Amino acid sequence: MKILTVVGARPNFMKAAPIIAAIREHNGRPLAESADQPKRPAETIRHILVHTGQHYDALMSGSFFSDLNLPEPDIHLGAGSGSHAIQTAEIMKKFEEVLLAEKPDVVVVVGDVNSTLACALVTSKISFDSGGSRPVIAHVEAGLRSFDRSMPEEVNRIVTDHVSDLLFVTEESGLLNLSKEGVSPDKIHFVGNTMIDSLLHFKEKAEESTILERLALVRQARKNGGAKSITRYALLTLHRPSNVDNRDVFLNIMAGLEELATNYPVIFPVHPRTQRRIREFGFEFGLDGNAGKHNGNGQSSGNWRDGIILTDPLGYLDFLCLMKHAALVVTDSGGIQEETTILGTPCVTVRENTERPVTVKNGTNTIAGTKTETIKDGIRRQLGRRHENGVPKNWDGRAGARIIDILVLGHHGNAPSCPGAAALEDQYSCPQHH
Ligand code: UD1
């Protein structure tokens, strides 16, 4: 069996790594067992990793391969940046050649980025012979919906789900959404969350990161034998075009952080898109970091901008360490809402909606909107709240293994039939900011 996995942009790497690890584990098993043939030889999986090159910087891509023990990509498409049309088309043209040359049995696409859509679309229309044979398309992280089609990711999710043959769902809202859209339950498998597989696997290793020292967030007590303690800090990420591409919107969001930044250092690893906007808009803080201006006892030294510590994008383990120890995370990312849910770190999502409602229902997340006052309210609420985070169903570190078992054994879907899914409606409708 030949499986081809596509990665392209930063959030793909941690979602793909557990699938690749599960393939390694599968191939390492000498014998597989089945009811009728207890000792038949296991079918070896040949795996091909394709990197589209949507993200290409060392900081956005390269460092993740070493942090996550990912193998070097077998094929690099080198697609790079461009408008949505140019980027998607470039990936499609190059990926078609790869498919025709490699003829895999299965194409695995993950998440909701342009690379996901481009490769799913090409695979759905490829034909290896006159009978129209093509690979099975497996979409990992299927069924999530923000119901906001102005988000490029929402379009990518919907189209990818509807051209896929196997839909691997991370949370129960996905079952409901796919059922409402008429997707056959036979295609759907509720396997859990491979991004959380990565988090659980690397959580301990992330403790070895020196990022807290590098950002001067560790204090050595003079008393008590010099024990170290971590300064209370917040962590910020912003990269959604709807939040950073418009100067006024971006400024309103930053104003919403004012109170937070005068009380705690706010660590802000800045995505390349956001770095460009900060330069274009002429915002005052520099991009070379201003760690150390904080006086180290949880009080800012003055101007709120001094309380915001900018860094370049960080590697997976450094960022995981920062999320784990933060008093609060403020973000517009999808994946970070899930990761903070498992880490038990309060999260304020600077968006009007989320496609991941389980992070609000079971987790530590709140949807704060993008207005200055609503962000301030969200931050105050979250800082004052006692968090008892629940673990969403199947977020147990086994999603990658479940996916590979299903691909190898060819099981039918495990989604509840329509009445079962309908019963989820009250619980898992999409939380909006009001
Ligand atoms: C993409 C995804 C988004 C995901 C995000 C994570 C889509 C539609 N969006 O958004 O869902 O949350 O990745 O980062 O696929 N750039 C660099 N170096 C790089 C990559 C990009 O400098 O390695 C710059 C380029 O100038 C580029 C811009 O960042 O134009 C945006 O990159 P792009 O891949 O188009 O989208 P993201 O905003 O990163």
Side-chain angles (χ1 to χ4, degrees), residues 238-251:
L238 291 172
H239 77 283
R240 297 254 152 246
S242 57
N243 282 347
V244 302
D245 283 0
N246 178 295
R247 190 175 195 277
D248 292 338
V249 175
F250 196 167
L251 270 178

Side-chain angles (χ1 to χ4, degrees), residues 136-197:
V136 167
I137 308 168
H139 183 207
V140 175
E141 198 187 85
L144 298 182
R145 297 289 182 269
S146 66
F147 304 100
D148 173 4
R149 290 205 186 188
S150 67
M151 281 178 79
E153 293 82 358
E154 181 75 351
V155 177
N156 293 348
R157 289 181 201 116
I158 294 168
V159 179
T160 303
D161 281 346
H162 284 265
V163 297
S164 292
D165 306 295
L166 286 171
L167 295 106
F168 293 120
V169 171
T170 53
E171 61 165 278
E172 285 171 305
S173 71
L175 299 175
L176 175 66
N177 296 332
L178 293 172
S179 160
K180 280 183 171 173
E181 291 172 19
V183 177
S184 162
D186 279 354
K187 295 180 171 183
I188 305 169
H189 296 265
F190 181 21
V191 292
N193 191 326
T194 59
M195 187 174 227
I196 299 305
D197 291 7

